Amino acid sequence: MSCSCTSSTNTQNELHASIMQKINNHPCYSQDAHQHYARIHVAVAPACNIQCNYCNRKYDCSNESRPGVTSYKLSPEEAVKKVLHVGGLIQQLSVVGIAGPGDGLANPKQTFETFALLKKYAPDIKLCLSTNGLMIHKHIDEIAKYNIEHVTVTLNSVDESGEIGSKIYPWVFYEHKKHRGVEGAKLLLEKQLLGIQMLVERGILVKVNSVLIPGINDEHLPLVAKKVKELGVFIQNVMPIISKPEYGTKFGLDGVPSATHKQLMKAQEACDINVKLMRHCRQCRADAVGLLGEDRSDEFFKESFADKSFAELSHHYNLNQRMKTHENIETWRRALRAANGKITQEDATNKDELSSTGDTMLVAVTTRGNGLINDHFGSAKEFLIYEAGDKAIKFIMHRKVENSYCMGKENCNGTYPIEEIKNALSDCHLLLTQKIGECPQKELESIHLTCDESFADEPIELSVLKGVRKHFFATA
């Protein structure tokens, strides 16, 4: 009996170590890694085999930050040249993803040619694929062949009747035929569940993206979470619908609004009891570049890499220097973990796990990455949100704003409208930032938000705990 138990424990430890190795430097699969490692999406997959009412693909769009848009399309060769070019300049780049602007598996030739070239010229980088799941079962061998360890599947409903799905998908194109309405939704779900099962059986880590569409699938998402847990999915990402008439989507033109922060928090809370959640998604463009909290895609024009040779770009990529950079990142992460201690409770499902009194506070943080409070309030275009008590903390979400408070000298010093930021932080109790001016601080105090600069350039997690203890749990 003892031998059997030891063997079982060793197997579980080996499995855990294998998973940790896969996610350690993947900014989407690891909340901690997203502060340190960058990703790049290459837009080699223009076609799609389903129509989503929340999606409108655009191939020459530079001013919208949402899935399905790109500034330009790439051939497989151009895509790999771009990766080598960017990877030499952004050496913390760790992941290449194919995420559109259509569906990677609706463009299998371009997708797998790209992955084959990446294995040859950028062997250190992780490969990632995003798909609607319709065609996984037909390409599972190729996914495994190219060692694609991470696959994201968009799954918005597990309603077997197809009623919910038919409100999201007007049609599904499969086997040379358009399947509409309930018929298409049922077909898509069947292939999605089959594909996810096949991926899990191959040991490929699966992330499920579920778009929160209030009034359509918001009450249904906990059932999606329950199902994906049963299937062995690694993580689920509940992401709010982004909907505006100018985006040209069916929902946007019909007046369906974007989901709010409060609606997202409610949906996440409902799903959190069933499956591990990703809470740091930025709903990236199909050509996104950089840390998740930044998009540097507009810095890299096709002309800067397309005409260069693979030999020249491989030298620029500098594999040895990249390995040293990643070693330095890991050294820094170990130091951060030592400084922060074991104060984060990612799996906490009730307030008592965070607070001895049952009371918790929401804390907003400004950061430019590296796990530090290192961004001025005036330049912040997003805020990390933590729930914190006197015992522990939990990362909840990030919140974007379209414009930072300070838009340059002529639009700073409190003259720029702050209402969007106040609305985004209206339920928060504490803001930890590197620096904030007197005028915006007074504006935030009007919504009862306490601002604190004393933790500037300090580790985020420890500072969040210290901050709530300082301001709200003075005797803790």
Side-chain angles (χ1 to χ4, degrees):
M1 293 289 289
S2 172
C3 230
S4 174
C5 287
T6 302
S7 175
S8 176
T9 301
N10 287 341
T11 300
Q12 290 178 354
N13 289 340
E14 289 171 4
L15 180 62
H16 179 72
S18 172
I19 292 174
M20 291 305 296
Q21 187 275 329
K22 290 179 180 179
I23 71 170
N24 180 62
N25 65 346
H26 196 306
C28 299
Y29 282 67
S30 166
Q31 191 271 325
D32 178 64
H34 97 280
Q35 287 273 330
H36 307 279
Y37 288 101
R39 84 309 192 204
I40 181 172
H41 291 172
V42 288
V44 299
C48 198
N49 46 18
I50 70 173
Q51 178 60 54
C52 306
N53 282 333
Y54 54 77
C55 180
N56 180 26
R57 288 168 285 139
K58 294 183 180 180
Y59 307 136
D60 57 354
C61 178
S62 60
N63 61 352
E64 294 179 16
S65 183
R66 61 179 177 86
V69 300
T70 181
S71 293
Y72 49 82
K73 292 179 287 185
L74 296 167
S75 69
E77 292 79 9
E78 290 171 336
V80 177
K81 287 183 176 182
K82 183 175 182 179
V83 170
L84 296 175
H85 176 65
V86 172
L89 297 172
I90 304 177
Q91 295 198 334
Q92 65 267 49
L93 183 72
S94 62
V95 174
V96 176
I98 295 178
D103 188 88
L105 298 183
N107 304 260
K109 184 175 185 295
Q110 300 97 309
T111 293
F112 292 113
E113 279 186 15
T114 303
F115 285 136
L117 288 169
L118 285 168
K119 281 180 66 68
K120 177 179 180 180
Y121 289 105
D124 64 320
I125 211 143
K126 291 185 182 298
L127 305 181
C128 197
L129 172 67
S130 292
T131 175
N132 56 47
L134 181 64
M135 301 298 288
I136 292 173
H137 65 290
K138 290 186 178 290
H139 298 287
I140 186 67
D141 290 335
E142 290 168 290
I143 292 171
K145 173 184 176 181
Y146 292 108
N147 197 29
I148 301 165
E149 296 181 330
H150 307 83
V151 175
T152 295
V153 182
T154 299
L155 181 67
N156 297 318
S157 166
V158 292
D159 171 30
E160 294 181 355
S161 74
E163 291 296 331
I164 295 176
S166 67
K167 297 176 183 177
I168 303 172
Y169 310 107
W171 54 260
V172 173
F173 188 78
Y174 183 77
E175 298 286 341
H176 310 290
K177 177 184 176 183
K178 274 189 179 179
H179 303 262
R180 300 181 183 276
V182 167
E183 177 194 351
K186 291 170 71 173
L187 172 65
L188 176 61
L189 176 61
E190 174 193 343
K191 300 307 180 186
Q192 288 173 324
L193 297 182
L194 173 62
I196 291 171
Q197 180 181 351
M198 295 174 80
L199 290 168
V200 172
E201 288 173 351
R202 296 288 185 108
I204 296 166
L205 291 187
V206 179
K207 174 167 69 72
V208 161
N209 282 351
S210 299
V211 181
L212 167 63
I213 312 168
I216 293 180
N217 71 345
D218 47 338
E219 300 296 330
H220 178 72
L221 286 180
L223 294 179
V224 177
K226 182 179 179 181
K227 184 63 176 180
V228 300
K229 183 177 183 179
E230 292 172 359
L231 290 170
V233 166
F234 176 71
I235 195 168
Q236 183 186 20
N237 172 29
V238 179
M239 48 202 289
I241 181 175
I242 302 174
S243 185
K244 293 182 179 181
E246 56 264 36
Y247 292 164
T249 66
K250 175 69 163 58
F251 282 150
L253 294 172
D254 286 349
V256 176
S258 297
T260 67
H261 299 311
K262 290 183 179 179
Q263 288 171 328
L264 178 59
M265 288 179 67
K266 180 181 178 181
Q268 289 178 332
E269 185 177 350
C271 293
D272 201 15
I273 60 173
N274 290 315
V275 68
K276 177 181 175 67
L277 289 182
M278 175 187 181
R279 295 176 176 270
H280 57 282
C281 175
R282 301 314 199 267
Q283 293 176 270
C284 304
R285 290 168 53 98
D287 58 358
V289 175
L291 298 174
L292 291 196
E294 65 179 5
D295 185 3
R296 298 174 57 182
S297 57
D298 59 355
E299 297 179 26
F300 302 100
F301 299 100
K302 189 183 292 190
E303 293 76 15
S304 63
F305 56 83
D307 293 332
K308 294 182 179 179
S309 68
F310 278 112
E312 181 181 359
L313 287 167
S314 294
H315 178 75
H316 167 77
Y317 188 69
N318 199 340
L319 187 57
N320 289 333
Q321 184 57 48
R322 283 175 47 80
M323 292 174 65
K324 291 178 182 178
T325 298
H326 288 212
E327 289 172 2
N328 291 338
I329 291 173
E330 290 305 307
T331 299
W332 173 245
R333 291 176 74 187
R334 286 192 292 272
L336 268 183
R337 283 193 288 268
N340 285 320
K342 297 180 179 180
I343 61 174
T344 301
Q345 296 289 336
E346 286 190 18
D347 298 325
T349 57
N350 62 71
K351 296 181 185 298
D352 291 338
E353 296 177 71
L354 304 177
S355 172
S356 59
T357 66
D359 297 320
T360 59
M361 309 294 168
L362 290 185
V363 182
V365 174
T366 62
T367 180
R368 289 183 285 108
N370 292 323
L372 300 176
I373 300 170
N374 56 4
D375 197 12
H376 286 208
F377 171 80
S379 59
K381 295 188 71 172
E382 72 167 27
F383 301 85
L384 303 188
I385 309 297
Y386 290 82
E387 183 179 12
D390 61 333
K391 294 195 302 185
I393 70 170
K394 178 179 181 178
F395 178 74
I396 298 297
M397 61 170 55
H398 83 286
R399 294 179 183 173
K400 286 184 179 180
V401 291
E402 289 193 16
N403 298 293
S404 58
Y405 174 77
C406 189
M407 304 285 287
K409 291 182 179 180
E410 68 281 3
N411 281 320
C412 208
N413 300 318
T415 61
Y416 192 82
I418 196 175
E419 294 308 311
E420 182 191 9
I421 298 173
K422 289 165 67 175
N423 182 58
L425 304 182
S426 61
D427 57 345
C428 294
H429 305 84
L430 178 64
L431 170 68
L432 302 183
T433 186
Q434 187 184 49
K435 191 74 175 176
I436 185 170
E438 183 179 347
C439 289
Q441 185 167 339
K442 287 182 177 179
E443 288 278 357
L444 295 178
E445 287 173 354
S446 72
I447 60 168
H448 309 291
L449 180 59
T450 301
C451 304
D452 193 333
E453 302 175 342
S454 67
F455 297 99
D457 300 310
E458 294 295 321
I460 291 173
E461 294 175 3
L462 182 61
S463 298
V464 169
L465 183 63
K466 285 184 174 181
V468 294
R469 285 177 173 176
K470 171 183 173 182
H471 292 281
F472 306 109
F473 299 94
T475 60

